């Protein structure tokens, strides 16, 4: 939700839930089921927004105590503690996460949380082991982009819109053929294409195995059988013999040090009379981001989760109010 006031309410609510457990009894000042449902919903929101919300030193200290308690006896952790902890950190990152499932599964309100933060985490790790490799990966900018999306796969989508993509319909494309989604990320566009064109064979390729594992999981959830996800680098695609009737590449080429080189590779693997749809970032549309990046570079904020939180904490003092509002 791109609204700073809403974000502040979420941060305050999360702190209130943590404070409700501070007495040690685990008793919240409202109905237990309501508490767990609220904490579970907030934990889901925090998770899919990459835990970017700021936390005080006091909150961090309380979380450390809770983590130590879980580690001593995972199977006897309190449901309330797990639900609130999951608002701050991913349960699946805890080395003893599988032992927490018994507690979560015994409380209906926490079952979706266990699926998202523990089972999904383990599932993605397993999927990542078997992702095929289309090409070798270039060093330099390709390696930098890959590292970014290995850390922060984006976007973490969970459903497709209930409409048909007008762009694809208007092209009157053949219901058969071979398509390429070059730089598929977490698979949203590939899944949309696969759902609308079930007779087409789609190769969806990306640098990041973390992004690809998420894409594969969502395609499996949708029952899509016509997409092959693989790791690879656009700049190396010319080394393969594959040729495509339709190529989609949205928000990808501008990440390269030489955009035109990427374009030429894609052009070389397009069949005669084939079609290609390319989307690039807009200079005008990204001027606020450019302004923020200039400040981030000037002030030396690190490209880490902590660095991002530090910048967001100080953002209102470093950038004009209207820019902050559009960036949040």
């Amino acid at each position: 939700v791109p609204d700073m006031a809403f974000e502040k309410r979420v941060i305050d609510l999360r702190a209130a839930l943590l404070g409700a457990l501070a007495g040690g009894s685990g008793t919240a000042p409202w109905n237990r089921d309501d508490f767990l449902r609220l904490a579970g919903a907030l934990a889901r929101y925090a998770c899919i927004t990459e835990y970017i919300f700021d936390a005080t030193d006091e909150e961090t200290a309380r979380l450390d105590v809770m983590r130590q308690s879980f580690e001593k006896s995972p199977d006897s952790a309190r449901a309330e503690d797990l639900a609130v902890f999951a608002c701050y950190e991913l349960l699946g990152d805890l080395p003893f996460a599988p032992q927490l499932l018994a507690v979560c599964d015994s409380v209906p309100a926490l079952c979706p949380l266990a699926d998202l933060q523990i089972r999904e985490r383990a599932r993605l790790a397993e999927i990542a082991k078997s992702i095929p490799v289309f090409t070798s990966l270039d060093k330099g900018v390709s390696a930098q982009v890959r590292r970014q999306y290995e850390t922060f796969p984006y976007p973490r989508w969970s459903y497709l819109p209930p409409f048909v993509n007008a762009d694809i319909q208007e092209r009157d494309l053949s219901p058969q053929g071979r398509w390429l989604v070059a730089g598929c990320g977490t698979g949203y566009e590939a899944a949309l294409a696969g759902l609308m064109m079930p007779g087409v064979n789609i190769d969806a390729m990306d640098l990041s195995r973390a992004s690809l594992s998420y894409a594969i999981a969502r395609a499996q959830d949708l029952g899509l059988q016509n997409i092959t996800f693989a790791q690879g680098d656009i700049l190396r695609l010319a080394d393969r013999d594959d040729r495509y009737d339709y190529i989609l590449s949205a928000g990808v080429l501008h990440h390269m040090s030489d955009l035109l080189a990427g374009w030429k590779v894609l052009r070389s693997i397009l069949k005669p009379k084939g079609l290609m749809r390319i989307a690039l970032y807009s200079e005008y549309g990204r001027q606020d981001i450019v302004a923020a990046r200039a400040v981030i570079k000037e002030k030396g904020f690190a490209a880490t989760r902590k660095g991002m939180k530090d910048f967001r904490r100080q953002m209102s003092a470093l950038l004009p109010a209207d820019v902050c509002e559009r960036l949040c």
Side-chain angles (χ1 to χ4, degrees):
V1 179
D3 184 283
M4 292 299 288
F6 175 83
E7 182 169 321
K8 185 179 186 307
R9 291 292 184 99
V10 167
I11 291 172
D12 290 345
L13 174 58
R14 187 176 66 169
L17 293 177
L18 182 61
L21 302 177
S25 66
T27 302
W30 48 75
N31 178 275
R32 181 175 186 260
D33 288 340
D34 288 343
F35 180 90
L36 289 172
R37 281 196 294 269
L38 177 59
L42 183 55
R44 175 180 175 81
Y45 183 69
C47 176
I48 63 177
T49 52
E50 300 289 352
Y51 290 101
I52 200 62
F53 305 134
D54 199 15
T56 65
D57 291 341
E58 182 181 359
E59 289 172 279
T60 302
R62 288 182 182 177
L63 292 174
D64 289 341
V65 173
M66 294 171 71
R67 189 185 299 103
Q68 293 169 19
S69 175
F70 298 157
E71 188 172 10
K72 289 178 182 177
S73 184
D75 54 358
S76 61
R78 293 184 307 191
E80 293 91 340
D81 290 343
L82 289 176
V84 174
F85 186 89
C87 293
Y88 289 87
E89 295 183 24
L90 191 75
L91 294 177
D93 281 345
L94 298 172
F96 46 86
Q99 296 172 261
L100 300 174
L101 287 172
V103 178
C104 294
D105 290 344
S106 68
V107 181
L110 293 193
C111 289
L113 189 61
D115 289 341
L116 174 66
Q117 294 206 8
I118 301 178
R119 290 191 177 90
E120 171 84 349
R121 183 75 163 183
R123 177 189 180 192
L124 297 182
E126 196 61 31
I127 288 173
K129 296 177 183 177
S130 58
I131 296 173
V133 175
F134 266 9
T135 75
S136 59
L137 306 181
D138 265 22
K139 297 179 180 180
V141 173
S142 289
Q144 293 175 35
V145 172
R146 177 173 176 262
R147 283 196 296 271
Q148 174 182 327
Y149 287 103
E150 292 289 7
T151 305
F152 295 104
Y154 176 85
R156 291 187 184 274
W157 60 280
S158 57
Y159 68 94
L160 295 176
F163 59 80
V164 175
N165 188 305
D167 275 355
I168 292 179
Q169 276 194 323
E170 290 169 3
R171 296 293 187 184
D172 193 26
L173 294 169
S174 168
Q176 285 82 40
R178 192 169 187 190
W179 291 15
L180 171 69
V181 182
C184 68
T186 53
Y188 181 86
E189 187 174 37
L192 193 63
L195 192 64
M196 291 184 298
M197 304 291 279
V200 169
N201 293 314
I202 300 171
D203 288 339
M205 188 196 72
D206 199 80
L207 292 166
S208 164
R209 297 183 78 81
S211 296
L212 287 165
S213 60
Y214 191 91
I216 292 169
R218 299 292 76 80
Q220 290 174 348
D221 293 344
L222 292 166
L224 295 171
Q225 303 291 323
N226 59 331
I227 307 175
T228 298
F229 291 96
Q231 185 182 33
D233 192 323
I234 289 174
L235 295 172
R236 297 288 187 179
L237 281 174
D239 298 339
R240 295 173 57 84
D241 295 329
D242 302 301
R243 296 295 180 266
Y244 297 93
D245 301 283
Y246 189 47
I247 296 175
L248 303 92
S249 188
V252 178
L253 293 183
H254 45 256
H255 288 308
M256 298 180 172
S257 58
D258 185 349
L259 183 153
L260 187 58
W263 164 267
K264 288 180 177 178
V265 170
L266 293 181
R267 178 64 186 85
S268 72
I269 61 174
L270 189 66
K271 290 181 181 179
K273 297 185 179 181
L275 293 172
M276 181 157 54
R277 180 157 65 92
I278 301 293
L280 303 174
Y281 287 165
S282 159
E283 290 280 352
Y284 178 79
R286 289 176 61 84
Q287 56 185 334
D288 292 334
I289 294 175
V290 171
R293 292 181 68 182
V295 171
I296 289 169
K297 182 177 181 179
E298 177 190 349
K299 301 297 183 181
F301 289 101
T304 61
R305 191 181 301 275
K306 182 181 183 303
M308 283 186 274
K309 288 184 177 183
D310 289 344
F311 169 70
R312 286 168 63 83
R313 187 186 308 119
Q314 301 176 47
M315 188 168 65
S316 60
L318 297 173
L319 293 167
D322 59 329
V323 174
C324 291
E325 197 63 33
R326 290 192 293 268
L327 284 174
C328 71

